[in-house]
Amino acid sequence: MTVLENVGAIEVCIDVIEGTLGTEIFVTVQTLNGTAKDGYDYGGVLRNITFGPFGIRKCFQIHIFNDTIDENQETFVVELSTSQEGISVETALLTVTIAIDLSDVDTVAMAKASYEVLESDGAVKVCAVLTGGILERNEVVSFMLSNITAISPGDYTYMSQEITFVSGQSATADNMQCLIINITNDNVYEEDETFSVRLYSTSEVVNVDQKRDTANISIIDTSIAEIQWTSSTYVATENSNVSVCVELNSPIETDITFNINILKESTAAYTDYEFNKTESLTFYSGENLGQTTCVNISILNDNAVESTEILLISLSSELRSIHFKNATTKLEITQDPDDRVLVFMENSSLNVQLTETVQYPICVRRNKTILERLVVVTLSTEAVSTISGVDYSPLNAVGLILDNETDKICYNITLYYTPNVEEDKMFKVLLTSVDPAVLLNVMNVTTLT
């Protein structure tokens, strides 16, 4: 006979199955412990039962105790005997099995619905908790892991493992059984990834809470995507295009977008170059180490004589996990070699009649080319039929500075008067420059007589 633990009581009947009683008979019934214990699991019985003349059935009750303890099935025995002559007992033993009350079934659930673990941590502890009852036996449940976006074994170590709640444990927050899951740090820049851990049991006396049987594990990526300029300095000439490029220095499994920003230093947009102030570039998932991506910058010719100009270009991103090995590069813009200023002597020859010593201006002029920097030319003298220092004050590479506001500049030379000289005397004033942006025309010599 099998009864539920919460039945309260069972009725056991004894039948006369053969013969007719003409007088009273007596039988004895008693209960014997098995795994069920008298006074704990049932109320024991030891009594005599009398059948009167012509009686055919007598029944009695045995109380079953519901102890609300999660335990295995338990049994006890009802024994029937008699010492009276002429009476035989056909079935002397009745085994009663007490099945567990379904309300006493253990409930096990995941301790948390979700976990987060840094990829660099290397492992995560996931726990199950007993939520009801006091155990009188060991209970075994299993964890099973499943891929979602995290894939085993590349991201974590797969396992299907049993855990055991030990007899005597009660439903408290401290009574947890846990599993350590290894997390793989692949040093690849990627999106955060997820896998699941599900709790299950094949035991009829263990109930897994279906609303709390699964926990999702989020692996937070801690890898860094490293990017760098392919050069610390780029050089371009006016009236050309230049590509500035960025190189990927680490593996990636997700797209990364970053910005290229112009930080002008000595340049002006749409005068010296054409480029948006900020432009976005992307490296795509799966691209190899050393992959480059570039932007083109158009360098304009402003037809001015100027110094080499500097354009600073930086990298930036809102993602803190992107590391720029060198965040800023420099673009040097050199002048178009055809952009030159024409400089010349104002006069190719001068005739000066002296009656006294005078300061005489020697003048230099230039064309209308825009000057964005200073231009230096030099004046020197060369004797022809004169004596330097006697007839004139010599010039030895005297520098004259031209700027954008100056298209003519003069320098005084001393001409000494010598009385009673009947012959003309002559010397030259030479115009020179080492500046490659200065173009001297044929009128670079002035002759004074």
Side-chain angles (χ1 to χ4, degrees), residues 65-291:
F65 302 146
N66 188 356
D67 54 16
T68 71
I69 295 176
D70 179 19
E71 54 198 347
N72 293 316
Q73 293 185 142
E74 297 172 311
T75 62
F76 66 94
V77 174
V78 182
E79 182 183 55
L80 177 63
S81 64
T82 183
S83 59
Q84 190 171 346
E85 293 183 2
I87 300 175
S88 63
V89 177
E90 182 172 301
T91 304
L93 300 175
L94 171 65
T95 299
V96 179
T97 300
I98 304 173
I100 189 170
D101 181 355
L102 293 179
S103 64
D104 295 337
V105 170
D106 298 331
T107 301
V108 180
M110 298 299 298
K112 294 170 60 177
S114 62
Y115 294 80
E116 285 189 355
V117 56
L118 298 179
E119 189 178 57
S120 57
D121 285 347
V124 60
K125 181 166 74 171
V126 179
C127 299
V129 63
L130 182 66
T131 62
I134 300 175
L135 296 181
E136 278 199 351
R137 66 181 182 280
N138 293 347
E139 296 291 11
V140 177
V141 292
S142 298
F143 286 116
M144 183 172 67
L145 282 58
S146 298
N147 296 337
I148 300 180
T149 55
I151 307 299
S152 175
D155 299 310
Y156 68 95
T157 300
Y158 174 81
M159 62 180 66
S160 180
Q161 182 169 320
E162 293 181 343
I163 58 170
T164 301
F165 288 94
V166 180
S167 175
Q169 285 187 299
S170 60
T172 67
D174 294 332
N175 281 335
M176 294 189 294
Q177 295 296 321
C178 301
L179 174 70
I180 302 298
I181 304 170
N182 292 326
I183 304 299
T184 304
N185 188 357
D186 55 14
N187 294 310
V188 174
Y189 180 79
E190 57 198 344
E191 294 181 348
D192 297 342
E193 298 172 314
T194 304
F195 66 96
S196 68
V197 179
R198 187 172 70 85
L199 193 63
Y200 70 96
S201 175
T202 58
S203 171
E204 295 180 355
V205 293
V206 178
N207 176 46
V208 175
D209 187 339
Q210 297 301 307
K211 294 182 179 179
R212 297 174 56 192
D213 67 340
T214 302
N216 288 333
I217 316 300
S218 296
I219 304 174
I220 308 303
D221 183 52
T222 54
S223 300
I224 299 296
E226 187 176 84
I227 298 171
Q228 69 174 19
W229 292 105
T230 57
S231 176
S232 60
T233 303
Y234 298 86
V235 179
T237 302
E238 288 180 325
N239 199 31
S240 67
N241 292 309
V242 61
S243 292
V244 293
C245 301
V246 180
E247 181 179 12
L248 181 64
N249 279 355
S250 57
I252 59 173
E253 288 187 356
T254 186
D255 297 351
I256 55 172
T257 298
F258 53 95
N259 297 324
I260 289 183
N261 313 294
I262 296 296
L263 308 174
K264 65 179 182 179
E265 186 170 70
S266 60
T267 58
Y270 306 109
T271 299
D272 298 309
Y273 66 91
E274 281 187 354
F275 189 77
N276 295 328
K277 186 175 182 181
T278 298
E279 188 164 318
S280 295
L281 288 178
T282 300
F283 282 112
Y284 295 97
S285 174
E287 290 192 324
N288 298 323
L289 297 180
Q291 182 72 38

Side-chain angles (χ1 to χ4, degrees), residues 295-313:
V295 294
N296 288 321
I297 301 176
S298 295
I299 308 301
L300 304 179
N301 188 357
D302 54 11
N303 298 307
V305 172
E306 54 197 344
S307 302
T308 296
E309 297 174 306
I310 304 298
L311 184 63
L312 296 181
I313 311 171

